[in-house]
Amino acid sequence: MSRPTVKTDFSGEIPKGTYGPAMHLTETLEGWRNLRPVINNNICNNCGLCYLVCPEGVIFDEKNKMDIDYGFCKGCGICARECRKNAITMEKGDAANE
Amino acid sequence: MLKRLDKEEYFYGHKGCGGCGGSLAVRLALKVLGKDTFVVLPAGCMSAVGFVYPQLCFGVNALISPFASTAAMLSGIRAAAKSLNIENCNVVGFAGDGGTADIGLQALSGAIDRGDKIIYICYDNEAYMNTGVQQSSLTPYGARTTTTPPGEHIHGSINSKKNMFEIVAAHHIKYAATASIGNIPDYIKKVEKAKNTNGTSYIHIAAPCPTGWGIDSSETVAIAREAIECGLWYLAEYEDGKYKLNKDVKEFTSIGIYLKKQGRFKHLTEEDIQEIEKQRDNQIKFIKERYI
Amino acid sequence: MSNKVFVSGNEAVAIGVKLAKPKVIAAYPITPQTIVVERLAEMVEKQELNAEYMYVESEHSALAAVMGASVLGARTFTATSSQGLLYMAEVMHYASGGRVPLVMMNANRALALPWSIFGDQRDSLSMLDSGWIQVYVEDAQESLDMIIQAYALAENKEVLTPVMVNLDGFVLTHTYEAIEVPQEEQVDKFLTDFKLEGKMDLENPRNLFFSSSPADNIRFKVQQHQAIVASREIIENLDKQYGEITGRSYGGLVTGYRTEDAEIILVTLGSITGQVRDVFDVLRTRGEKVGVVKIRFMRPFPEKEILELCRNAAVIGVLEKDISFGYHGTVYTNVADALKNTNKRLINFVGGLGGKNISQKDIEEIFSGLKNIDKITNTVNFIGLGV
Amino acid sequence: MTEVTFLGRGGQGAFTTSRILGAAASLYENKFALSFPSFGPERRGAPVFAYTKIDTVPIRNRSQCEYSDYIVVLDESLYDENLHKKLKPHGKIILNTPKEKSSPDIICFDATKVAQEYLGTAITNTAMLSVLVANTGLVSKDSLLAAIKYDMPLRIASKNQKLAQYIFTLTKGVGL
């Protein structure tokens, strides 16, 4: 399941009037994050609750395995808080799950 | 439930605070409504975080309306869709509590009166959060906002929440409901109903704001759930002229514990909490007499 | 084939709107505009006009509704007046900034307080900076013709700016006269179907009316300014094209009357112009070299044209139905700027406020003021105070 | 330019009459006309002035009529000596009254009676307009009849046309 991606070819032009294209992303938001959610796929039962509760929509099911778009994850921690299996932990440092 | 949702994300890359309840409400509704949707957002958190050119975060047609004009623009879009034979589309608005219960109420009333086929979703975070937490008419009693600063003389907001659900139902609207991000399956069902309503529909969703409420960003969904459990929020519907309480909570959890988890209520005294309990009991009595 | 009808200015507007075939009409009633929307509602009921007619709860909502409809690709119409126009103020800036090609009729009427339903031009002139193109018409025929031209202008790709057509309240909106109604084919030839490139589209979704950073914001504002500047030429061209098709054109931004050799010129706005021409014709028979400049567009402002029309005159008066309290009439301020590099004598006459009739005698007194300008010390001179 | 003032009460059709006269002149004859009410809120029963200006050249002066060539008074209770001051030299007042004329610049006609007979109601506007037209020749009879048909709803137009025609037979030759 693909997530929207950043337009790398954006020229910086402005349209005539405030008529913009839909889903036009020019920057990611990983810099907002202090902690990053890490899914333990051994515990995860793919119930999809984390996908439902994520305000950013960055959690998704990739071939029956939950995955996270870290480009746009702000690390709010709702997924970890709500996971009934405690399969998600909030971890420090961005090297943990690259 | 999961299968009924559109797999695409239609609200993505927005600059809402981490753990924002409002953005979750918007995201989920759009996953119910799907790609053939026109969205109107007034000035407020969701427009401020979703539309800063060049970062445009809606995957469907969307625009920002003047603050007071959510419902009027929705109506205009629906009228145009009708006259241009653009059938099978959803026209949905997402406005905050201030944008709905204060400045946007006139336009909302007009749209319901016309019976326009639009969906109006109020994401209620109980204050003007986008401008830095000022009181709205949906700010609960006792809450600290920057315009209801608690002190020795006044303990936060002295107003109670306007009952938007009742106000809207009094128009004999086709479909109205209260919802909460603390109960997502219920919310999804209600958005589906709204989608299939042939006339105006209104959903009032409790959507906590971690920043304004003074809670951890991970607690948004949990605190919304707790509000239902302690009886300060309720899930109900108004359909075919009848009220229905969706969840009759038999025994309430502690209001004191719910309130004290939130920075905005930290200052409340025991008497204040008792007053809020009293208000809850009156509200529940009113609902039960009327809805069940 | 001639198609003459005897109608009021309001009805002429409604007929013009009908010929432009809008898809969505939203309006809130306010005297003296109401008849326009009443007639349109009747046309919709009789199915002479295939449009959605929305009754709305306020002018603010009326303009917001037609904005929403417009960006979905529907031609729209709304009308207002006075307090209603001011209630729309927020949405007016919104629409021009969003480059939404709306057409709105405004019945010029005084602003409260004191309460008054009678005509003056303080309402629209106080909205001069809202980014709309503003045109002022003189009679019912021009009202109809300008509504149709306004659509072509607003929707022109280079312009993409809302247009407000102003009619003097009562004096024009409620006065009946014979007008020629253009044939549908003539209008269809002049006015093409509504097309908006950036419109919302299910196949190609859009995000509209967004916010921008300060760095980008000024670029949008420059565009907006340039579009209205560019509209000057387009206004002239459209007027000519309209003339070729219907036989009626109005001179574009501004029209001069007996200005060629005029030593004294009075600049006017709106329906008072005809009466000034009448008085000045009489003065001409007495050998007075007088002329009239009728401003049609306040935005874009015809500065070059005014300079050109006034080139032989030594004394220029501006007669207007508004006042920017503490300074001049707004029209005067604009005219004075257009003539700033000349050594002409300028003077401002303000009359007709709150609906006060401007009489033949008032205009004769204005002339005598212009003739004896050395005796007048004030820049702003209120007329009609004596009676 | 000829200026006519119609004076009636709200609901008596003074403005309709001014419009019919204007339409008769500008749609059915080679003339120009402006018709307009006294501006302001419309209130049933209140005195209403309506005006018609007629000329052979386009009328550019849209200001209110200060002095009239004719003042047509639809309702006798609205007659007032001061109306004479609003007449141009040689102007006339045309008054709906069963009484005889009291002044050389008044033409009297009992329109109420005729209106009752032809329309079944005391709406005197068409009758008084017809008296004006028949006496002054401001427009032709045919133009007047055409304008009545143009302005009035179908169901009352023909009754009013018959009434107008009758008045022409009555007042023809009265002259001014």
Side-chain angles (χ1 to χ4, degrees):
Chain A
M1 199 156 61
S2 67
R3 303 283 98 176
T5 51
V6 167
K7 305 257 181 294
T8 48
D9 58 348
F10 176 60
S11 66
E13 272 174 30
I14 61 166
K16 189 194 275 184
T18 51
Y19 295 94
M23 197 54 82
H24 186 261
L25 305 180
T26 54
E27 57 176 310
T28 54
L29 302 168
E30 65 271 85
W32 291 42
R33 193 166 61 227
N34 288 321
L35 298 173
R36 61 155 52 202
V38 177
I39 300 171
N40 183 337
N41 287 113
N42 296 327
I43 307 174
C44 171
N45 63 352
N46 282 29
C47 75
L49 185 60
C50 52
Y51 160 76
L52 274 185
V53 298
C54 175
E56 315 299 326
V58 294
I59 309 180
F60 55 102
D61 187 329
E62 185 73 44
K63 293 176 190 154
N64 294 322
K65 197 175 132 221
M66 298 312 288
D67 204 348
I68 296 172
D69 177 0
Y70 286 107
F72 289 98
C73 170
K74 294 173 187 150
C76 71
I78 292 178
C79 52
R81 169 75 169 78
E82 295 298 319
C83 178
R84 287 170 195 162
K85 293 276 176 189
N86 290 324
I88 305 175
T89 48
M90 299 304 290
E91 295 183 6
K92 275 191 182 160
D94 256 5
N97 205 31
E98 289 300 337
Chain B
M1 175 72 57
L2 283 174
K3 282 191 188 131
R4 298 215 299 270
L5 296 180
D6 194 322
K7 287 192 169 23
E8 289 294 319
E9 294 298 332
Y10 295 109
F11 187 40
Y12 205 77
H14 61 78
K15 297 180 180 177
C17 304
C20 167
S23 57
L24 178 55
V26 171
R27 172 186 166 239
L28 290 172
L30 292 180
K31 288 176 81 72
V32 174
L33 299 173
K35 89 177 212 336
D36 293 336
T37 299
F38 298 97
V39 183
V40 173
L41 305 111
C45 284
M46 288 311 109
S47 54
V49 305
F51 274 91
V52 188
Y53 187 82
Q55 185 95 339
L56 304 175
C57 304
F58 283 86
V60 290
N61 287 288
L63 55 78
I64 308 181
S65 75
F67 205 177
S69 305
T70 317
M73 265 202 188
L74 289 169
S75 290
I77 290 171
R78 177 52 81 185
K82 202 171 155 196
S83 81
L84 297 169
N85 300 317
I86 303 173
E87 281 149 21
N88 301 324
C89 63
N90 309 297
V91 181
V92 63
F94 296 99
D97 43 291
T100 300
D102 296 337
I103 196 167
L105 188 53
Q106 174 177 273
L108 173 59
S109 175
I112 303 172
D113 183 46
R114 287 187 295 269
D116 295 332
K117 185 172 159 43
I118 58 169
I119 305 167
Y120 190 108
I121 298 180
C122 169
Y123 61 95
D124 182 3
N125 52 29
E126 305 196 323
Y128 289 90
M129 297 312 185
N130 188 44
T131 40
V133 198
Q134 293 83 23
Q135 181 186 28
S136 81
S137 60
L138 296 186
T139 298
Y141 182 86
R144 168 202 293 270
T145 69
T146 52
T147 52
T148 57
E152 220 177 294
H153 307 292
I154 306 172
H155 297 176
S157 168
I158 55 171
N159 289 81
S160 304
K161 285 172 79 76
K162 247 186 214 178
N163 193 327
M164 274 307 300
F165 174 61
E166 287 280 343
I167 289 169
V168 161
H171 288 72
H172 303 297
I173 191 171
K174 277 268 165 135
Y175 179 71
T178 63
S180 167
I181 62 161
N183 189 336
I184 288 172
D186 174 77
Y187 175 51
I188 288 173
K189 236 186 303 175
K190 286 170 175 171
V191 178
E192 283 169 343
K193 271 196 186 176
K195 181 181 180 177
N196 295 320
T197 297
N198 191 20
T200 316
S201 51
Y202 175 87
I203 298 174
H204 193 110
I205 179 162
C209 165
T211 312
W213 289 26
I215 54 172
D216 189 79
S217 62
S218 63
E219 290 292 324
T220 318
V221 172
I223 202 84
R225 199 159 50 230
E226 212 170 322
I228 301 169
E229 287 163 357
C230 75
L232 287 177
W233 190 243
Y234 62 91
L235 302 178
E237 285 172 298
Y238 176 86
E239 207 176 355
D240 303 324
K242 290 192 186 75
Y243 290 96
K244 187 162 93 191
L245 190 61
N246 302 118
K247 198 174 170 194
D248 186 9
V249 182
K250 297 290 178 214
E251 210 168 311
F252 295 122
T253 55
S254 158
I255 276 186
I257 291 173
Y258 166 78
L259 294 172
K260 288 296 183 184
K261 278 183 182 165
Q262 304 173 45
R264 61 177 177 155
F265 292 122
K266 278 281 188 296
H267 59 278
L268 292 186
T269 63
E270 212 32 64
E271 291 85 66
D272 294 331
I273 293 170
Q274 277 168 17
E275 170 59 29
I276 294 169
E277 271 173 6
K278 209 172 84 194
Q279 287 181 9
R280 174 199 63 190
D281 293 344
N282 286 339
Q283 168 94 319
I284 295 297
K285 188 164 164 275
F286 174 79
I287 290 166
K288 289 202 170 172
E289 282 170 6
R290 215 167 142 80
Y291 300 179
I292 300 176
Chain C
M1 197 187 80
S2 162
N3 184 17
K4 259 169 109 182
V5 293
F6 193 70
V7 293
S8 66
N10 273 334
E11 290 175 341
V13 167
I15 295 168
V17 171
K18 179 184 157 189
L19 285 165
K21 298 175 189 158
K23 290 284 187 191
V24 175
I25 297 162
Y28 189 77
I30 180 167
T31 305
Q33 154 266 63
T34 39
I35 292 156
V36 180
V37 291
E38 287 172 9
R39 291 294 171 272
L40 288 168
E42 288 165 15
M43 291 167 184
V44 170
E45 189 281 327
K46 289 181 184 155
Q47 300 186 338
E48 296 168 3
L49 174 57
N50 180 20
E52 290 294 313
Y53 184 94
M54 294 174 67
Y55 72 98
V56 283
E57 58 287 342
S58 76
E59 287 91 349
H60 194 280
S61 285
L63 197 55
V66 294
M67 268 186 86
S70 184
V71 294
L72 199 63
R75 182 174 288 153
T76 67
F77 179 75
T78 188
T80 190
S81 177
S82 179
Q83 310 296 124
L85 185 76
L86 295 205
Y87 197 39
M88 285 179 172
E90 180 202 12
V91 196
M92 287 183 65
H93 282 265
Y94 214 87
S96 61
R99 308 292 296 277
V100 185
L102 306 176
V103 169
M104 171 162 74
M105 172 265 195
N106 179 54
N108 282 122
R109 180 186 127 181
L111 298 170
L113 284 168
W115 248 89
S116 166
I117 62 158
F118 297 98
D120 72 28
Q121 294 165 334
R122 290 211 299 118
D123 54 357
S124 55
L125 288 171
S126 74
M127 293 305 298
L128 203 54
D129 295 339
S130 62
W132 285 53
I133 290 173
Q134 282 198 6
V135 56
Y136 293 76
V137 296
E138 189 183 336
D139 56 33
Q141 185 72 60
E142 193 182 0
S143 303
L144 183 154
D145 292 332
M146 270 323 291
I147 286 287
I148 295 166
Q149 287 195 30
Y151 280 106
L153 177 59
E155 295 163 13
N156 181 292
K157 271 195 221 167
E158 302 306 313
V159 178
L160 216 58
T161 296
V163 177
M164 189 199 304
V165 180
N166 290 284
L167 280 73
D168 277 312
F170 294 111
V171 179
L172 179 46
T173 59
H174 281 53
T175 296
Y176 280 68
E177 57 197 299
I179 63 164
E180 183 79 31
V181 178
Q183 303 295 322
E184 194 179 336
E185 307 81 65
Q186 290 179 309
V187 176
D188 290 349
K189 194 174 161 198
F190 174 76
L191 184 63
T192 50
D193 286 348
F194 185 82
K195 276 197 195 74
L196 182 62
E197 265 177 26
K199 70 169 184 172
M200 296 196 291
D201 183 346
L202 290 177
E203 297 314 311
N204 177 26
R206 318 282 297 178
N207 282 189
L208 272 48
F209 305 166
F210 45 71
S211 54
S212 79
S213 65
D216 280 339
N217 194 286
I218 192 165
R219 297 162 73 198
F220 284 104
K221 294 299 125 185
V222 169
Q223 273 187 352
Q224 217 179 317
H225 175 65
Q226 285 169 341
I228 299 191
V229 170
S231 76
R232 300 168 56 98
E233 204 183 320
I234 294 159
I235 288 165
E236 306 279 348
N237 290 340
L238 286 172
D239 190 40
K240 280 192 199 107
Q241 279 171 33
Y242 192 80
E244 281 159 20
I245 294 171
T246 65
R248 287 184 303 278
S249 59
Y250 295 92
L253 295 162
V254 65
T255 51
Y257 181 74
R258 307 186 88 161
T259 53
E260 280 292 293
D261 61 339
E263 289 162 3
I264 292 175
I265 282 177
L266 188 61
V267 181
T268 59
L269 185 70
S271 67
I272 192 66
T273 311
Q275 198 184 343
V276 175
R277 289 187 188 125
D278 268 5
V279 175
F280 279 23
D281 278 351
V282 175
L283 292 169
R284 277 273 175 179
T285 63
R286 289 191 223 147
E288 302 289 355
K289 290 191 169 177
V290 287
V292 187
V293 167
K294 178 178 86 160
I295 295 178
R296 298 186 70 242
F297 285 80
M298 278 299 293
R299 288 292 179 272
F301 192 71
E303 48 173 335
K304 287 181 210 134
E305 292 79 358
I306 288 174
L307 188 62
E308 174 60 21
L309 286 166
C310 293
R311 78 179 175 273
N312 294 324
V315 176
I316 314 290
V318 177
L319 169 60
E320 60 190 301
K321 298 179 183 176
D322 79 293
I323 173 77
S324 176
F325 301 108
Y327 199 36
H328 310 134
T330 299
V331 184
Y332 177 85
T333 306
N334 282 269
V335 171
D337 182 67
L339 301 174
K340 63 181 177 289
N341 293 328
T342 68
N343 54 6
K344 299 180 193 305
R345 300 290 305 275
L346 302 177
I347 184 164
N348 192 191
F349 297 96
V350 172
L353 296 184
K356 171 100 176 154
N357 191 43
I358 297 177
S359 69
Q360 206 92 344
K361 216 175 100 212
D362 291 330
I363 296 169
E364 283 157 14
E365 277 170 20
I366 288 170
F367 168 72
S368 110
L370 290 166
K371 186 87 178 164
N372 303 292
I373 193 160
D374 289 333
K375 292 186 190 153
I376 300 180
T377 48
N378 293 337
T379 303
V380 178
N381 298 275
F382 293 93
I383 58 163
L385 291 180
V387 190
Chain D
M1 181 163 65
T2 307
E3 291 172 271
V4 183
T5 298
F6 295 91
L7 173 57
R9 293 191 182 278
Q12 289 182 336
F15 183 39
T16 304
T17 318
S18 77
R19 262 192 343 251
I20 291 172
L21 179 58
S26 59
L27 295 184
Y28 303 106
E29 303 196 352
N30 249 349
K31 291 177 183 152
F32 299 88
L34 296 182
S35 300
F36 51 97
S38 53
F39 306 134
E42 295 155 32
R43 300 287 182 257
R44 189 161 291 270
V48 167
F49 290 87
Y51 307 93
T52 308
K53 295 181 181 181
I54 302 176
D55 208 341
T56 52
V57 292
I59 302 166
R60 298 182 297 193
N61 181 348
R62 310 179 79 89
S63 68
Q64 289 159 25
C65 297
E66 286 178 70
Y67 300 100
S68 300
D69 294 276
Y70 306 105
I71 300 177
V72 182
V73 185
L74 302 183
D75 187 320
E76 193 180 4
S77 65
L78 293 169
Y79 174 75
D80 179 327
E81 283 294 324
N82 288 321
L83 285 175
H84 293 270
K85 294 180 194 155
K86 292 283 178 188
L87 284 177
K88 292 183 189 170
H90 313 297
K92 297 271 187 236
I93 289 174
I94 304 185
L95 178 62
N96 171 22
T97 176
K99 288 178 218 146
E100 290 296 311
K101 72 171 163 187
S102 54
S103 153
D105 57 0
I106 297 187
I107 295 172
C108 294
F109 185 82
D110 188 1
T112 309
K113 195 177 131 209
V114 182
Q116 276 290 5
E117 193 180 318
Y118 273 80
L119 308 175
T121 170
I123 301 290
T124 61
N125 60 345
T126 307
M128 291 304 289
L129 173 61
S130 304
V131 173
L132 171 77
V133 171
N135 279 289
T136 61
L138 276 177
V139 293
S140 73
K141 183 171 98 177
D142 287 349
S143 301
L144 176 66
L145 294 175
I148 288 172
K149 191 179 168 200
Y150 173 83
D151 191 278
M152 286 190 165
L154 209 56
R155 64 192 162 77
I156 58 168
S158 70
K159 277 197 228 171
N160 278 278
Q161 281 177 321
K162 280 188 189 126
L163 167 60
Q165 271 167 328
Y166 170 68
I167 285 177
F168 270 84
T169 65
L170 273 189
T171 62
K172 197 167 166 62
V174 170
L176 283 176

